Amino acid sequence: MKPQPSRTPLATLLSACVLALALVVTATAVTALVRGPRPAGAQPDRGSHWVNTWTGMPQLTEAGNLPPAPFTGERSVLADTTLRQTVRVTTGGHRLRLRFSNAYGDTPLPLTSVTVALPKDGRAGAGAIVPGSLHPVTFAGRTATVVPVGAQVVSDPVDFELAPGSNLTVTAYTAQGQPDLALTSHPGSRTTSYLVNGDHTRDPDLSGAASADHWYLLSDVEVTAPAATRAVAVLGDSLTDGRGSTTNGNDRWPDQFFDRLQTRPATSDIAVLNQAAGGNRVLNDGLGPNVLARLDRDVLSRSGVSWLIVFEGVNDIGTAAATPDAQRAVADDLIAAYQQIVVRAHAQGIRVYGATLLPFGGSAYDDGAGVREAARQRVNAWIRGHFDAVLDFDRVVRDPADPSRLRADLQVGDWLHLNPAGYGALAGAVPTRLFGAR
């Protein structure tokens, strides 16, 4: 047989190109089959990311903090109820999404419809909204969703312009309500919410609605922000949750600290996340789970956190027996717990700043013999030398004439909690240089 002519270099090159293209197309098709279709708007634009801009630590609602009648029945809560709430965001953005929590529910939580808007006059605790600012919120493209027991749901992104430090109105309607009294909330909102029967999620004003100074169901607001935008989370108790601050005033110390950050161009894009609850403790459950149990949920899993402030431990000292042995043990355990927090946060690339514990002389925690005070001093001495940086809050608000007590002009009368001026003193003591570029 006559031998076949060899293929030309050009023909060989074309065959190789066709084969490579086929492999690329096939690989792309397989990847698409594995990943599934990508929902429109599910991811931030290139060069941006999701950052938490507001959060409220989920808690199990105590009987005294449940919604007022008729919104709490014998066996269910929020049935056929519209709930309108305002929250103050920190960093701003062009898109947002919400998270609703059923962390403590014993039954699934059905959400029938949800909207977001700007509150009238931009005020916290407003029952009315700015005309034309209302947007519907969906979940996987649907207006309704169900939050499983112990879980949370994240909404679809909503195109919505939010300025830094502005208030946002979130209105939710629950037709069925939660068929149980185990409701997830954040009782220490220091912000007024409104409740009315029927679906009024699109109403411009909830005039005549009942009110409660608590947040329910809503746990987070996130925004898309430039890639450099980061957040600082705060672990705390009632001193960070704002007992003694002004209802609808947003003058807790983290709020006033955020206001300071806004005055400096280098820190004006930092979000501040207040993960505090009154009565909370580092070592043992109280009002909400202990810090070691909630660290992953409330800090390490939050979007965009680069810094953590730990300002908690006074309730551990104050609720332990006022004996040398008990106070020695609680001080040892607090120091060990702080070390655990640092190790776990560092593993996520988060810097950890420790705030010294405030004096409580003259309060219900004062044992008269100074046993608890000695434990506080020992813990503070450790804090001052073992975190990535120290915020010496004790030094700022203690009475120079009696360092075991707060300054009289900065506390609310119980010698344990601060007034807005006292919270301003704490906010002013946080060095903004600690929050530089990462």
Side-chain angles (χ1 to χ4, degrees):
M1 294 180 61
K2 184 177 179 180
Q4 296 293 320
S6 61
R7 303 176 72 181
T8 65
L10 178 58
T12 302
L13 179 61
L14 288 174
S15 297
C17 289
V18 169
L19 177 60
L21 180 59
L23 289 172
V24 170
V25 171
T26 301
T28 303
V30 170
T31 301
L33 285 171
V34 172
R35 293 181 178 174
R38 178 177 172 180
Q43 298 294 329
D45 298 330
R46 183 170 297 183
S48 65
H49 67 154
W50 289 106
V51 176
N52 268 76
T53 184
W54 172 87
T55 189
M57 175 189 151
Q59 298 173 243
L60 175 62
T61 311
E62 299 172 291
N65 292 325
L66 285 167
F71 308 102
T72 296
E74 291 185 4
R75 298 181 180 178
S76 66
V77 62
L78 298 178
D80 187 32
T81 299
T82 292
L83 170 66
R84 177 163 287 177
Q85 309 179 95
T86 61
V87 298
R88 189 198 191 203
V89 304
T90 49
T91 193
H94 305 292
R95 287 196 301 168
L96 64 83
R97 64 187 183 190
L98 310 177
R99 292 178 183 256
F100 288 88
S101 175
N102 193 22
Y104 298 99
D106 293 332
T107 57
L109 169 66
L111 297 174
T112 310
S113 88
V114 177
T115 62
V116 291
L118 296 175
K120 184 178 180 181
D121 301 323
R123 293 186 297 108
I129 62 174
V130 174
S133 68
L134 187 140
H135 287 66
V137 177
T138 59
F139 303 86
R142 300 175 295 181
T143 58
T145 190
V146 175
V147 191
V149 172
Q152 64 174 223
V153 295
V154 184
S155 78
D156 298 331
V158 180
D159 291 329
F160 196 97
E161 192 70 31
L162 268 179
S166 61
N167 287 296
L168 173 70
T169 297
V170 179
T171 310
Y173 173 61
T174 52
Q176 179 184 347
Q178 186 148 18
D180 194 297
L181 298 184
L183 184 69
T184 301
S185 70
H186 187 87
S189 66
R190 276 86 199 177
T191 306
T192 304
S193 300
Y194 298 91
L195 305 100
V196 63
N197 286 129
D199 186 353
H200 298 275
T201 52
R202 295 175 177 269
D203 285 14
D205 195 352
L206 295 190
S207 57
S211 64
D213 291 340
H214 310 299
W215 285 313
Y216 300 106
L217 312 182
L218 183 68
S219 63
D220 295 272
V221 179
E222 297 172 294
V223 295
T224 53
T229 303
R230 310 303 294 169
V232 50
V234 185
L235 285 172
D237 49 38
S238 56
L239 286 161
T240 299
D241 206 26
R243 182 170 176 179
S245 63
T246 309
T247 298
N248 298 320
N250 287 318
D251 52 15
R252 313 164 191 82
W253 79 260
D255 293 294
Q256 298 191 57
F257 168 56
F258 168 75
D259 294 337
R260 284 189 61 221
L261 292 176
Q262 285 290 292
T263 65
R264 299 177 67 247
T267 58
S268 62
D269 62 346
I270 294 176
V272 178
L273 308 179
N274 188 339
Q275 290 287 30
N280 197 238
R281 290 183 286 181
V282 175
L283 303 171
N284 296 299
D285 292 353
L287 295 182
N290 66 79
V291 165
L292 294 180
R294 68 185 182 92
L295 182 64
D296 288 276
R297 182 195 74 179
D298 293 346
V299 177
L300 304 185
S301 67
R302 311 287 14 109
S303 303
V305 173
S306 284
W307 305 275
L308 168 62
I309 296 173
V310 181
F311 179 37
E312 193 160 354
V314 70
N315 289 327
D316 297 82
I317 292 172
T319 57
T323 65
D325 287 347
Q327 289 299 312
R328 186 180 305 110
V330 77
D332 287 343
D333 290 346
L334 277 173
I335 289 169
Y338 294 148
Q339 291 173 316
Q340 285 289 305
I341 293 168
V342 170
V343 167
R344 289 164 63 184
H346 280 178
Q348 301 297 320
I350 298 172
R351 294 181 62 81
V352 188
Y353 304 147
T356 51
L357 306 182
L358 306 191
F360 45 75
S363 77
Y365 286 167
D366 187 351
D367 59 85
V371 179
R372 290 190 177 115
E373 172 63 12
R376 184 184 75 90
Q377 293 288 357
R378 182 176 164 220
V379 170
N380 277 351
W382 190 92
I383 290 172
R384 289 187 174 101
H386 292 85
F387 283 90
D388 293 319
V390 62
L391 313 180
D392 207 343
F393 286 172
D394 168 45
R395 190 183 304 276
V396 174
V397 297
R398 70 192 183 197
D399 185 345
D402 184 357
S404 70
R405 299 169 73 96
L406 295 168
R407 278 176 45 184
D409 60 324
L410 298 181
Q411 55 91 34
V412 294
D414 64 1
W415 297 97
L416 185 63
H417 298 96
L418 301 175
N419 57 29
Y423 289 129
L426 297 187
V430 183
T432 55
R433 59 178 171 75
L434 295 176
F435 304 91
R438 293 304 306 267

